[in-house]
Amino acid sequence: MSVKDYLIERMAIGTIHMTLVDPDKQDTELAAEVAVNAERMGTDAIMIGGSTDVNQNNLDQTAAAIKRAVGIPVIYFPSGAHAISMHCDALYFMSMLNSRDVRMVIREQAMAAPVVKKLGIEPVSMGYILVEPGMKVGEVGQADLVARDDPMSALGYALAAEFLGMDLVYLEAGSGADQPVPAEMISTVKSVLSVPLIVGGGIRTPEAAAAAKQAGADAVVTGTLVEKDGYHQELESVIEAIKS
Ligand code: 1GP
């Protein structure tokens, strides 16, 4: 089964959880350990990526170690064409729709596409929409951030992604955001969108995860949560809130 079909099948049953691992934040052994723990707790896929400091070397090593350790899909969450790993099952072939930089909208993708084709990695298309505060990814991506009180702008970008034929839409507040994407924005987008909606950035508590789910998120992504020691209980409670 393709990774896209796997995700769509799971999301049709209920909200899923994906664990984001940044290859720059720990050694490969620890990255694999985090992935194994997350899988055991019920996460549905491992995403690998980071806004800065991901290179071919740390990506390949992390992806290979995680791939060896888990049975769930390993999906690359790229920040550009500079690093692509054949050790991932798929990659989000994504466009930052509200970037002012054409490189983030389509040029990096045009550079990456022949490599993706050659390596035979499954591309899963995704419209990526940056919401305030946007954090590092909003900054390096030169995003015209969607204001937190402007759900209609998010709706416009999301629907445009669907009409352009993208498989998924991702509302991103940015890794480490002090506040996640507002529930009202999630529900506004969800009310018109026919493709699955992924939400991430700043979700660290079961309450925040449950709020995203209640508002209509088909998938919730957490990353920073697993970067601190003793993350086990928090990750478990976040996954439980999403699955219950
Ligand atoms: C970042 O949305 C993800 O792309 C995860 O964000 O690190 O804040 O969980 P956090």
Side-chain angles (χ1 to χ4, degrees), residues 20 47 77 128 137 170-177 199-204 221-225 227:
L20 175 65
M47 290 166 49
F77 183 47
Y128 191 45
V137 64
Y170 192 140
L171 288 180
E172 168 77 271
S175 186
V199 176
I203 297 172
R204 288 179 286 270
V221 178
T222 62
T224 308
L225 199 56
E227 286 170 14

Side-chain angles (χ1 to χ4, degrees), residues 181-197:
V181 174
E184 192 202 335
M185 188 177 287
I186 298 171
S187 57
T188 301
V189 170
K190 185 62 188 172
S191 69
V192 298
L193 200 65
S194 301
V195 297
L197 180 61

Side-chain angles (χ1 to χ4, degrees), residues 13-139:
I13 300 167
T15 305
I16 68 166
H17 176 263
M18 295 189 277
T19 301
L20 175 65
V21 177
D22 185 338
D24 183 49
K25 295 281 165 65
Q26 68 286 292
D27 63 25
T28 53
E29 208 173 301
L30 186 55
E33 189 188 304
V34 165
V36 167
N37 286 332
E39 180 181 38
R40 188 171 40 76
M41 292 172 194
T43 202
D44 297 279
I46 304 295
M47 290 166 49
I48 302 179
S51 326
T52 52
D53 303 319
V54 176
N55 56 51
Q56 193 63 48
N57 190 40
N58 63 17
L59 172 65
D60 267 334
Q61 289 189 7
T62 302
I66 291 178
K67 187 63 202 147
R68 274 195 303 272
V70 299
I72 50 176
V74 178
I75 308 170
Y76 182 33
F77 183 47
S79 54
H82 59 283
I84 297 172
S85 178
M86 58 189 283
H87 299 293
C88 295
D89 297 304
L91 88 165
Y92 288 131
F93 204 82
M94 50 200 265
S95 172
M96 189 186 287
L97 299 175
N98 55 335
S99 173
R100 292 184 300 277
D101 184 357
V102 72
R103 201 174 58 79
M104 301 305 288
V105 180
I106 194 60
R107 286 206 182 134
E108 290 288 327
Q109 294 80 346
M111 283 191 280
V115 183
V116 171
K117 181 80 178 169
K118 193 167 178 197
L119 293 177
I121 311 165
E122 179 191 339
V124 182
S125 65
M126 178 195 277
Y128 191 45
I129 303 161
L130 269 290
V131 178
E132 286 177 338
M135 308 305 283
K136 196 76 191 170
V137 64
E139 196 184 305

